[in-house]
Amino acid sequence: MITPSLADRLAQARGPLFFPVTAFGPDGSLDLDIYRTHVRQGVEAGAAAVFACCGTGEFHALNPDEYGAAVAAAVSVTAGAVPVVAGAGYGTALAIQYARGAERSGADGLLVLPPYLVLADQAGLVRHYTALAAATPLDVLVYQRDNAVFTPDTVATLARTDGIVGLKDGLGDLDLLQRIISGVRRGGGDEDFLYLNGLPTAELTGPAYQGVGVTLYSSAVFAFAPDIALAFHRALADGDDGTVRGLLDGFYAPLVELRNQGRGYAVSLVKAGVRLAGLDVGGVRPPLSDPTPAHVTALAALVAHGRALLAGDATDPGPDPGPGSGQAGSPAGSGSGQAGPSAGPGTAPRPSLTAPAGEPV
């Protein structure tokens, strides 16, 4: 019996892509028992794949032994039910070492984060990813963001490379992405080459990405509120525009505004959400910092409001982002240009994202 490839399994995905946080104990050490529980809960909730030790999983903060142990734990929990993709990164030599560690731990594929620190030209990026693909039998997804931004010709070259099966886009330039997709088609790349929406809160741009044919996306919300994430995923797939707009305006846009209130909140706010959901995964490791208590309180109110929207118990368009919204590199209300219809009748109060007096949100 032929085992389906990672590309085949992801192409058939019927749920969000799950990026678990990495659990740490009170002393800061890796807590594999809590981590296994977190991964198991995600798989049981309906994750289409587990992306272990990637950006949300604090790949940057794990030593090689911890990395191998966490990837192996994810593999053991999933037991083949869904694919496990492990993060890899840094320079080429270290990325190959992590790739081989992921292979030993039983991963099904790799998500290769941008090279560490350097600004490479396109030829150098091609050398980096092709060397990595040649060094491991694991299928490779390349990650476009920050210092790894590709031209259409570069992606067409990568798509013709054995072992490279897809591109995760964390840049958000849809003009470039459409030209990449067209360039891969024209350049003779694999017609099954995958594209993933990998922005920090991918649901906010889900309809736009769907417009260029990209339906796979990573969901940070799935890590702490899988019911909301799954409801949005179903609504987007089914063309339920009312639910999509209601959750975008009332939950996801305010979540992005809250996330933009702190450096590193794309990771630490997710981890705080998992703790709010009842699983003590610990805090983030340096150099990241945990969210302020006011922001954690705001997150709890926002999750409650999202669930009220699903239950039809909220009529308000969503939480007030409070003072300071839109800072940290994102304009206020980004991605939420129109107010959607209310999710249904009800009386749930509108939660505020405003911090207590004297403490900025």
Side-chain angles (χ1 to χ4, degrees):
M1 179 170 145
I2 299 175
T3 302
S5 68
L6 173 65
D8 290 338
R9 297 178 77 183
L10 290 180
Q12 297 167 10
R14 294 295 180 268
L17 307 179
F18 175 33
F19 284 66
V21 302
T22 300
F24 302 127
D27 63 353
S29 63
L30 185 65
D31 190 329
L32 287 176
D33 287 339
I34 295 294
Y35 181 69
R36 290 187 190 96
T37 298
H38 181 43
V39 173
R40 182 179 299 109
Q41 288 176 346
V43 173
E44 291 174 350
V50 172
F51 283 68
C53 303
C54 296
T56 307
E58 296 180 80
F59 169 78
H60 68 276
L62 301 174
N63 67 43
D65 290 340
E66 292 172 325
Y67 169 87
V71 173
V75 170
S76 69
V77 167
T78 60
V82 298
V84 174
V85 180
Y90 303 115
T92 306
L94 272 178
I96 288 173
Q97 289 188 21
Y98 277 98
R100 289 173 176 164
E103 181 185 346
R104 288 192 298 270
S105 296
D108 298 290
L110 298 171
L111 174 64
V112 185
L113 282 64
Y116 174 71
L117 198 59
V118 296
L119 292 172
D121 61 13
Q122 296 295 299
L125 290 170
V126 169
R127 290 172 57 206
H128 174 69
Y129 293 104
T130 55
L132 183 56
T136 173
L138 297 180
D139 284 343
V140 170
L141 299 167
V142 298
Y143 195 177
Q144 170 163 268
R145 59 174 293 172
D146 300 328
N147 60 322
V149 177
F150 309 108
T151 66
D153 286 345
T154 293
V155 181
T157 298
L158 295 175
R160 293 192 300 268
T161 301
D162 288 344
I164 298 180
V165 301
L167 171 76
K168 180 183 179 187
D169 180 56
L171 185 64
D173 183 339
L174 289 180
D175 176 272
L176 174 60
L177 184 59
Q178 181 61 71
R179 289 186 288 114
I180 285 172
I181 293 169
S182 296
V184 169
R185 285 197 295 257
R186 292 195 312 268
D190 189 335
E191 64 180 14
D192 295 324
F193 195 72
L194 296 171
Y195 300 94
L196 287 66
N197 175 357
L199 288 171
T201 304
E203 286 91 345
L204 197 64
T205 54
Y209 273 78
Q210 192 175 67
V212 295
V214 178
T215 57
L216 286 169
Y217 64 85
S218 55
S219 175
V221 170
F222 185 86
F224 62 88
D227 51 338
I228 297 175
L230 286 166
F232 181 88
H233 188 275
R234 285 193 297 268
L236 187 62
D238 294 344
D240 180 356
D241 292 340
T243 298
V244 167
R245 288 195 297 264
L247 287 173
L248 285 177
D249 295 348
F251 177 76
Y252 283 104
L255 176 64
V256 169
E257 292 172 0
L258 178 60
R259 186 199 70 208
N260 288 343
Q261 300 310 305
R263 294 280 189 179
Y265 272 20
V267 176
S268 62
L269 197 68
V270 174
K271 209 162 194 180
V274 178
R275 294 194 301 273
L276 285 171
L279 191 62
D280 188 1
V281 291
V284 291
R285 283 180 172 175
L288 297 181
S289 297
D290 290 312
T292 67
H295 290 159
V296 175
T297 298
L299 178 61
L302 186 54
V303 171
H305 186 72
R307 289 182 173 138
L309 288 170
L310 292 181
D313 292 334
T315 57
D316 195 272
D320 182 353
S325 64
Q327 295 176 357
S330 179
S334 175
S336 179
Q338 299 180 5
S342 66
T347 59
R350 166 175 170 162
S352 174
L353 301 189
T354 305
E359 185 174 357
V361 171

